[in-house]
Amino acid sequence: MSTGRRKRRPRSVSAVAVAAALSAGAVLIAACGSTTPGGSSTAKGARGGTLRVLYQGDVDFIDPGKTYYNGGYILTEATQRALVSFKPQAPEQAVPDLAASLPRVSPDGRTVTVKIRSGIRFSPPVDRVVTSRDVKYAIERGFFKTVVNGYAQTYFAALVGAKPATDPGTTIPGIETPDDATVVFHLSRPTGGALAGALALPLSAPVPREYAAKYDAHNPSDYGTHQVATGPYMIAADKRGATVGYQAGRFIHLVRNPSWRASTDYRPAYLDRIDIEEGNADTSVAAQQILAGHHVVSGEFPAPGDVIADALEKARDQVTLMPTGAIQYIPLNTAIPPFDDLNVRRAVVAAADRDAIRKTAGGAIRGPLATHMIPPSIPGFALAGGARGAGLDFLSNPRGDPAVAATYLRRAGYASGKYEGSAPVLLFGVNDPEDKLATQLVQRELTSMGFKVKARYATPETFFTKFCGVPAAKINVCVGWGWLRDFPDGQTILDPTFNGKVIQTTGNSNVSQLDVPAINAAMTRAEALSAPAARAAAWAAIDRQVTAQAPAIPVTWNNQPIVRAKDVAGVPNANIVGWDLAFTSLR
């Protein structure tokens, strides 16, 4: 199963996952990024050459201010420089990137100050030094109705004067630039800690207003296909900045950014060129081609379970199981029948054979079965119930419990213990072998419960951008959805995905459309807490509230299997759930 939504900062994999993976003969990368079979995060690489990267589909958005899926993040990690970042060798330790030092949060949590590193330049045709005003504009454009960044309303909404869906060019009074090297964020609520963490996301990567404004005036903005870079690589472009190196669904060609200076960056950037080849719909074939190939690695997709099982016997050092700090779950649309009924949702979760769903993706090597939302690597996991969960009866049997399911359907008014309503169920899955198997399994389970099910499939990019991320599509169940944290905090798992206040018409992360006033209010209170222990406890309590609402079928706390050719010195980066292209080299 794919991990659709991006989310950053994986920490460590749980002891349960380690035991499961090792019993299967797998190799896990350590959370600290130490060198292991399948990846080499400490070895010095050779310079030069062209690396091929196979993507299953297109990126969600080519624009760094819009992308929120791991395919886009693999790209932006090589082409853009956010204020803060995480090195692949130390995925928990934030380091200054575009910033000269880590953000400073005021004691009252209402002001965040950042100093900009000197000497960083935009790629041609802009080719000038980055200033604080470029960061200000980058974040402001995330609120434009022509851009609609997927997480701006979660982490940046408290900026003084920030409003959703504004006209292009609208400024935010709460972002000040007293000089070329300083950005000051003023907040209406004490959410400075969360905003400081979110400055590691691509929205904080600078955008030159004088160049981008004409593209942002279009609806939707087409800055993405004219973007400039600050990282070591850029999408191949013509003299006017048009990204001729990008053709949607076919390829993304990265070349060296001539304005980049190694002295300003921690990225070694060994490669001369990176060719991302999109449209590898059959991920089993793609993974096999990589394992037998030359100078090629996997991109945004997890290598399928059958390929991994074989590779662990024949090419073990070419496989990396990456702990992600992610959860794979199957959202149930709470806004429309039949899953607007809590008891019907609980019945579906109770009946789900979560272990069988996990087996379609490779079994235990994909991670431990989830019993609630916060993954093991995030503060609040133990308080939310740990590996055993909170003791909810509809989540007690990982292989499904028809008797419990029938009990909840009777509570919903169906005396037979089967669903007897007229509302059909529209079930959507990702069009790849693993997700098809999982979708078919869910379809059979729902049908056996009495639901009338229509199953449909979509490519990965349209699954997220046209169907399961769009409330107007009125899809009841989405198979193939996952969520990866932005930084190690419970808010990054629960707020973008289950807060009713962040539901959007497009690019929607709350696929379940859960909108419970008590939960929304609890999130508002929790995001203003600053003490780590208090935040962990508050978000754990919210986890229990959300899980009790049964807005989704929890499946696994994920490991991501990625593969490489023998002649690639791959460096895995858990923060982007893939190979770090700015650290990887050829052999």
Side-chain angles (χ1 to χ4, degrees), residues 80 98 120 238:
Q80 304 294 332
L98 177 66
I120 297 176
D238 63 19

Side-chain angles (χ1 to χ4, degrees), residues 119-262:
I120 297 176
R121 303 181 69 89
F122 288 112
S123 63
V126 175
D127 197 19
R128 67 160 170 81
V129 172
V130 172
T131 73
S132 56
R133 291 184 296 278
D134 301 314
V135 174
K136 174 179 168 67
Y137 181 72
I139 294 172
E140 287 172 339
R141 68 185 296 271
F143 288 84
F144 295 172
K145 62 186 178 184
T146 60
V147 176
V148 193
N149 174 274
Y151 50 83
Q153 284 299 310
T154 299
Y155 303 120
F156 296 90
L159 284 166
V160 173
K163 298 177 181 179
T166 58
D167 290 332
T170 303
T171 60
I172 297 178
I175 307 177
E176 292 186 344
T177 54
D179 57 55
D180 285 353
T182 307
V183 186
V184 183
F185 301 96
H186 298 283
L187 304 169
S188 60
R189 294 181 287 116
T191 59
L195 184 142
L199 295 178
L201 299 173
L203 185 62
S204 76
V207 175
R209 183 188 186 109
E210 78 279 7
Y211 171 78
K214 60 182 177 291
Y215 302 116
D216 287 339
H218 301 162
N219 194 6
S221 168
D222 54 1
Y223 170 70
T225 53
H226 298 82
Q227 64 181 274
V228 288
T230 46
Y233 300 99
M234 58 181 278
I235 301 175
D238 63 19
K239 292 182 179 180
R240 293 181 297 176
T243 54
V244 295
Y246 170 63
Q247 190 169 126
R250 293 192 61 193
F251 59 77
I252 307 173
H253 297 320
L254 302 185
V255 296
R256 287 194 177 275
N257 174 4
S259 301
W260 178 76
R261 298 292 177 267

